Amino acid sequence: MSLPPLVEPATELTVDEVRRYSRHLIIPDVGMAGQKRLKNAKVLCVGAGGLGSPALMYLAAAGVGTLGVIDFDVVDESNLQRQIIHGQSDVGRLKAESAAASVREINPLVEVVIHNTALTTENVMEIFSGYDLIVDGTDNFATRYMVNDAAVLLGKPYVWGSIYRFDGQASVFWAEHGPCYRCLYPEPPPPGMVPSCAEGGVLGVLCASIGSIQVNEAIKLLTGIGDPLVGRLMIYDALEMKYRDVKVRKDPECVLCGKNPTVTELLEDYEAFCGAISDEAAEAATGSTITAQELKAMQDNGENIFLVDVREINEYEIVSIPGATLIPKGEFLNGSALEKLPQDKKIVLHCKSGARSAEALAIVKSAGFSDAVHVGGGVLSWVKTVDPSLPSY
């Protein structure tokens, strides 16, 4: 369905703007009026990572007058495989600052607003209120639900995208005209059920595919052209090179945008709502979490331990803690790992950051290994505090 333009047009375009955007201006559906709307638009990109990179670059090139970027992270070398708005010289730099510099280089006519902060329940409503449209490039469920809830409560549309390995999804959520994210996903998946890109990886160019779709949708919404992805979920398979649409209907029982909403304000804790780890894992890890330095001391003292790496083999091949035996988390979930654990040694589990090993720890403890522990921070902590010569990922 076509929708009215989201913003009013600016008064005029300068001579420089006419030259720059001439290829837009000669498109009848965009024209002078559409380009003036883009100039008058204020768009916020949540995240300057894989999806935020192409989104910010193409929004800038398209002539969106005000671009906001919110990100609290710094550029890491592992980002450069897909986060093309950053370069080698930006490693260690704040992502929002690096992204803003690239945007200004692409189009100095764009005003860039930098938010060097994490998006939280304390600031999301204030930040969002200054923009016409939100482009969501987040990579975790807690922030996705918070972005959705804030957008619905403020009556603002947002363009959503998601990527994992070779698969991508995109949609437009606007409760005034269609469903919201909670209509599609009423509840977050169980902890550990859906791996993050940091755990499962992502094809770098997939970010460009989905990010450019997000920008395409943003331009359509801002200028009032075409048929935006409101009420439709676009699914992309990069390996098969296939796109397909799935209709998403507004849920009349949606707790947020339904007929009788029960969520009328932001939740107090979105991390708790989404459950970074299960209650069982959190309970198992309480009092049974050691640091990477403590693991090193155990090894140096010759303690009788059995160190288990619960990551996947491709992660293990990138970097591993010396002496670790690889038993992927899936083998703990199906029970086959338990027969591989010695009864006469203290079981020490680790993963990349500590979430998966905590889940495995709960299973191990319930199987009778009461003195088992896991390494908080996992391989990342080992590389940072014990052996910085090893590669990170």
Side-chain angles (χ1 to χ4, degrees), residues 258-298:
K259 295 177 180 178
N260 300 294
T262 56
V263 176
T264 57
E265 59 185 12
L266 296 178
L267 304 183
E268 290 185 5
D269 190 341
Y270 282 89
E271 292 285 351
F273 170 67
C274 292
I277 60 175
S278 67
D279 293 340
E280 294 79 8
E283 182 179 351
T286 302
S288 298
T289 301
I290 64 172
T291 66
Q293 297 98 318
E294 288 172 327
L295 170 59
K296 183 64 164 62
M298 286 180 171

Side-chain angles (χ1 to χ4, degrees), residues 147-156 158 174-175 180-181 256-257:
V147 167
N148 177 76
D149 293 0
V152 171
L153 293 172
L154 289 168
K156 294 183 181 290
Y158 77 99
W174 195 356
C180 77
Y181 184 76
L256 183 67
C257 72

